[in-house]
Amino acid sequence: NAGVTQTPKFRILKIGQSMTLQCTQDMNHNYMYWYRQDPGMGLKLIYYSVGAGITDKGEVPNGYNVSRSTTEDFPLRLELAAPSQTSVYFCASRGQESYEQYFGPGTRLTVT
Amino acid sequence: AQSVTQLDSQVPVFEEAPVELRCNYSSSVSVYLFWYVQYPNQGLQLLLKYLSGSTLVKGINGFEAEFNKSQTSFHLRKPSVHISDTAEYFCAVSERDTGGFKTIFGAGTRLFVKA
């Protein structure tokens, strides 16, 4: 039972490069989330989705984009990487009738 | 929830001692409350949750938490900690809003258990 999977685990980007962080869940959850975690700051919501084809901005969406073409996948796109995007990124999902979120193992991104 | 405050950023404690990690929140509506644990280099895992009913909630690994509505608190406790409890703990609060459910996480409390 894989749960929420994220790739890659680690990545180093140069300023101005772009990349996509992948997130897949196999629990048939409607809700999916992207967070970034910075030391001492907890988790900040970047984008979320309530179902395939529907996405919305969270607290810190600038510099990111998402899409949700299927229930399973929720990729996060960084178009022009900046040092301020150095962080650990977590994807999470939640079922329609449950309230807790299930988290992936995270992607550690460094932008230099 | 307008905010979630974890009152201690770090809590060092000796093995087999009791521990309390404090969490306060502000909200004007009914909320659902959670504690998550994050072991080094891993994602968050649910420790326990309060949705309704008894205000004392028991979770995994011997942890429990008590919801105090009047004090808007949800403190996490364990009577005797182990080295393996060393981790970061996050309090989270969910409430309904126009977009469905909104969840806010606290900044985290790093629990360090010493031998």
Side-chain angles (χ1 to χ4, degrees):
Chain A
N1 191 4
V4 180
T5 58
Q6 292 182 239
T7 57
K9 285 186 169 32
F10 305 94
R11 184 72 185 268
I12 299 174
L13 283 182
K14 294 189 186 305
I15 294 171
Q17 286 185 320
S18 61
M19 76 164 292
T20 299
L21 282 67
Q22 301 291 346
C23 175
T24 300
Q25 53 93 8
D26 63 0
M27 296 173 283
N28 201 32
H29 285 170
N30 289 335
Y31 298 87
M32 294 188 75
Y33 308 85
W34 273 106
Y35 295 93
R36 59 177 289 170
Q37 183 183 30
D38 300 302
M41 301 295 290
L43 280 78
K44 301 293 184 187
L45 182 65
I46 305 171
Y47 270 95
Y48 67 98
S49 169
V50 300
I54 306 170
T55 63
D56 208 346
K57 295 177 181 179
E59 187 180 356
V60 290
N62 291 345
Y64 307 95
N65 273 301
V66 293
S67 59
R68 184 94 182 271
S69 57
T70 67
T71 299
E72 294 78 18
D73 300 306
F74 190 40
L76 177 72
R77 179 87 178 157
L78 283 71
E79 289 295 349
L80 290 170
S84 60
Q85 293 177 306
T86 293
S87 188
V88 182
Y89 292 84
F90 288 101
C91 179
S93 70
R94 174 173 77 81
Q96 183 79 26
E97 300 302 325
S98 71
Y99 301 99
E100 68 261 34
Q101 296 181 27
Y102 295 80
F103 285 81
T107 294
R108 186 175 296 274
L109 175 68
T110 302
V111 182
T112 62
Chain B
Q2 296 176 5
S3 67
V4 178
T5 302
Q6 292 185 239
L7 292 140
D8 306 291
S9 60
Q10 295 186 62
V11 174
V13 63
F14 284 104
E15 194 174 20
E16 298 184 6
V19 71
E20 178 180 79
L21 307 184
R22 298 178 292 167
C23 174
N24 285 95
Y25 67 93
S26 67
S27 176
S28 58
V29 300
S30 295
V31 295
Y32 304 108
L33 301 161
F34 307 85
W35 276 97
Y36 289 85
V37 60
Q38 183 182 30
Y39 298 105
N41 300 313
Q42 295 185 27
L44 280 70
Q45 305 170 35
L46 183 69
L47 202 55
L48 49 77
K49 63 186 176 186
Y50 170 81
L51 304 181
S52 64
S54 172
T55 56
L56 183 63
V57 179
K58 293 191 184 299
I60 61 172
N61 300 338
F63 283 92
E64 63 180 32
E66 185 154 21
F67 170 49
N68 188 318
K69 188 174 182 179
S70 63
Q71 297 187 4
T72 59
S73 68
F74 191 53
H75 299 335
L76 180 70
R77 302 186 185 100
K78 186 169 182 178
S80 176
V81 294
H82 303 290
I83 297 285
S84 59
D85 292 323
T86 294
E88 189 149 22
Y89 293 80
F90 292 92
C91 180
V93 178
S94 290
E95 65 181 16
R96 286 191 181 276
D97 71 358
T98 53
F101 275 102
K102 179 180 178 181
T103 300
I104 295 179
F105 288 82
T109 297
R110 188 170 296 277
L111 175 65
F112 179 60
V113 181
K114 301 178 284 186

